[in-house]
């Protein structure tokens, strides 16, 4: 059965809409991909110097977590909420880990 002019026009319109929606989708995806910036993590190194001695904050945190885990019989990975208080004039590091306080010598 031959197509009528009306049917051909509808078919052509449908093809145009399909083609247009494909290109719109591709451009939208491309725009979203280009809009996202890659995340770069900043690194901070904190060094504490007092009386010709120096220590790094990460080393202090590791020592505090190790002392806390040994004192309380827990795994180091259990430490979630960590607060460190450095008092170089007393040569002490005070910590509160998971609401459990403790202290150790700052420069050992």
């Amino acid at each position: 059965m031959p197509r009528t002019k009306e049917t051909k026009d509808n078919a052509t319109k449908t093809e145009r809409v399909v083609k247009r929606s494909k290109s719109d989708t591709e451009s939208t995806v491309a725009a979203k991909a280009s809009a996202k910036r890659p995340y770069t993590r900043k690194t901070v190194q904190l060094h504490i110097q007092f009386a010709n001695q120096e220590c790094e904050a990460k080393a202090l945190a590791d020592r505090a977590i190790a002392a806390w885990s040994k004192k309380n019989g827990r795994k180091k990975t259990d430490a979630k909420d960590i607060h460190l208080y450095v008092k170089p004039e007393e040569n002490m590091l005070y910590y509160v880990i998971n609401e459990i306080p403790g202290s150790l010598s700052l420069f050992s």
Side-chain angles (χ1 to χ4, degrees):
M1 175 187 266
R3 288 185 172 179
T4 63
K5 183 172 180 158
E6 190 175 310
T7 308
K8 286 182 183 178
D9 288 341
N10 286 341
T12 307
K13 287 180 185 176
T14 304
E15 287 175 9
R16 284 187 204 149
V17 169
V18 170
K19 285 181 183 176
R20 189 175 301 144
S21 66
K22 271 188 177 180
S23 64
D24 289 345
T25 304
E26 290 171 357
S27 64
T28 304
V29 169
K32 285 183 180 178
S34 65
K36 291 183 180 178
R37 294 181 182 172
Y39 178 75
T40 56
R41 175 172 236 153
K42 307 282 189 237
T43 57
V44 176
Q45 290 184 343
L46 176 65
H47 298 269
I48 299 165
Q49 297 178 339
F50 185 77
N52 295 327
Q53 295 184 349
E54 179 179 357
C55 59
E56 207 174 317
K58 181 167 177 16
L60 293 177
D62 292 342
R63 287 180 50 215
I65 292 169
W68 172 82
S69 67
K70 184 177 180 181
K71 181 180 174 182
N72 297 299
R74 297 196 179 176
K75 295 179 184 176
K76 292 179 183 179
T77 55
D78 291 341
K80 302 295 180 199
D81 187 29
I82 304 165
H83 299 269
L84 301 177
Y85 303 92
V86 179
K87 295 194 77 174
E89 67 275 6
E90 295 177 9
N91 192 31
M92 291 299 289
L93 168 68
Y94 298 97
Y95 60 86
V96 179
I97 300 177
N98 296 349
E99 300 180 7
I100 301 172
S103 64
L104 55 102
S105 174
L106 184 60
F107 303 106
S108 52

